[in-house]
């Protein structure tokens, strides 16, 4: 499954971070191959996931922000077996391990504030062993990459405070393989396809 994530990013590194049901159709129409559902509602989740997967998208659910679902083993099993998502995004290392036990892809979100948070993030990543790491704020990835490039092996995704195509180009040329964004304008761009 990890090769599926890498392949999708190699085709288009822009990940659509969908923050409302209204943006689902825009995500479907976008060039993005990977969708992260943020602030999802458990009542509408199955239909949204099915619609996105029918459009050929890999669908991740942000576990820390989902409404109506407990963040535990039973919640992840429900997402894997009943909703049939492709993966999760979370800051919690214990959920990464549970997701992998349920054959889901797992992206670990790490907030970088200073050098101490870089070291803490590296420890968490090496313990949980996610498929990919989303570093926030993404705009800092070109500066942070030199500290993490030899210490983690996972795919790096940059997220947060990325507004322009120039910033995306700089981030992708300095260590990241993907960019997650809630900006509909950035989803529409196909110029970052890496194939």
């Amino acid at each position: 499954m990890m090769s599926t994530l890498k392949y999708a990013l190699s085709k288009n590194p822009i990940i659509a971070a969908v923050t409302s049901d209204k943006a689902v159709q825009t995500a479907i129409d976008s060039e993005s191959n990977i969708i992260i559902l943020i602030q999802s509602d458990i009542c509408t989740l199955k239909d949204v996931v099915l619609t996105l997967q029918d459009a050929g998208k890999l669908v991740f659910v942000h576990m820390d922000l989902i409404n109506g679902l407990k963040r535990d083993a039973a919640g992840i099993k429900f997402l894997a077996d009943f909703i049939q998502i492709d993966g999760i995004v979370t800051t919690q290392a214990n959920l990464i391990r549970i997701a992998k036990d349920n054959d889901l892809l797992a992206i670990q979100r790490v907030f970088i504030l200073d050098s101490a948070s870089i070291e803490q993030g590296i420890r968490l990543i090496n313990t949980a062993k996610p498929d990919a790491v989303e570093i926030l704020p993404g705009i800092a990835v070109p500066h942070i990459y030199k500290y993490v490039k030899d210490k983690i092996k996972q795919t790096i995704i940059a997220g947060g405070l990325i507004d322009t195509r120039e910033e995306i180009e700089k981030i992708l040329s300095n260590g990241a393989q993907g960019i997650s964004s809630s900006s509909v304008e950035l989803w529409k761009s196909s110029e970052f396809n890496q194939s």
Side-chain angles (χ1 to χ4, degrees), residues 14 139 162-173 179 183-192:
I14 306 299
I139 196 73
I162 303 166
D163 299 317
T164 67
R165 287 170 173 76
E166 293 77 22
E167 290 169 342
I168 290 172
E169 289 169 2
K170 182 176 181 181
I171 292 165
L172 291 174
S173 65
I179 305 286
S183 169
V184 172
E185 288 306 311
L186 293 180
W187 301 351
K188 293 177 184 176
S189 178
S190 61
E191 69 188 57
F192 300 109

Side-chain angles (χ1 to χ4, degrees), residues 52-71:
L52 289 166
Q53 288 174 334
D54 284 349
K57 311 291 186 179
L58 281 177
V59 182
F60 288 76
V61 170
H62 195 307
M63 285 297 297
D64 304 349
L65 301 174
I66 192 168
N67 295 318
L69 185 70
K70 193 167 181 184
R71 291 157 198 78

Side-chain angles (χ1 to χ4, degrees), residues 50-95:
L50 184 59
T51 300
L52 289 166
Q53 288 174 334
D54 284 349
K57 311 291 186 179
L58 281 177
V59 182
F60 288 76
V61 170
H62 195 307
M63 285 297 297
D64 304 349
L65 301 174
I66 192 168
N67 295 318
L69 185 70
K70 193 167 181 184
R71 291 157 198 78
D72 63 6
I76 290 177
K77 186 162 180 51
F78 173 79
L79 290 173
D81 294 347
F82 181 69
I83 305 293
Q84 298 181 336
I85 62 171
D86 297 298
I88 68 161
V89 176
T90 184
T91 58
Q92 301 176 43
N94 65 315
L95 296 182

Side-chain angles (χ1 to χ4, degrees), residues 36-131:
I36 298 174
L37 297 174
I38 298 176
Q39 298 173 341
S40 302
D41 185 306
I42 195 68
C43 296
T44 59
L45 188 60
K46 186 163 180 68
D47 290 338
V48 170
V49 169
L50 184 59
T51 300
L52 289 166
Q53 288 174 334
D54 284 349
K57 311 291 186 179
L58 281 177
V59 182
F60 288 76
V61 170
H62 195 307
M63 285 297 297
D64 304 349
L65 301 174
I66 192 168
N67 295 318
L69 185 70
K70 193 167 181 184
R71 291 157 198 78
D72 63 6
I76 290 177
K77 186 162 180 51
F78 173 79
L79 290 173
D81 294 347
F82 181 69
I83 305 293
Q84 298 181 336
I85 62 171
D86 297 298
I88 68 161
V89 176
T90 184
T91 58
Q92 301 176 43
N94 65 315
L95 296 182
I96 298 288
R97 291 187 293 271
I98 295 167
K100 297 191 60 79
D101 288 344
N102 282 275
D103 296 322
L104 293 175
L105 291 166
I107 299 173
Q108 186 162 1
R109 219 174 210 206
V110 178
F111 292 91
I112 302 298
L113 306 172
D114 54 22
S115 56
S117 62
I118 292 173
E119 291 305 316
Q120 175 66 16
I122 291 168
R123 282 192 296 277
L124 286 172
I125 292 161
N126 287 328
T127 298
K129 300 185 182 356
D131 297 297

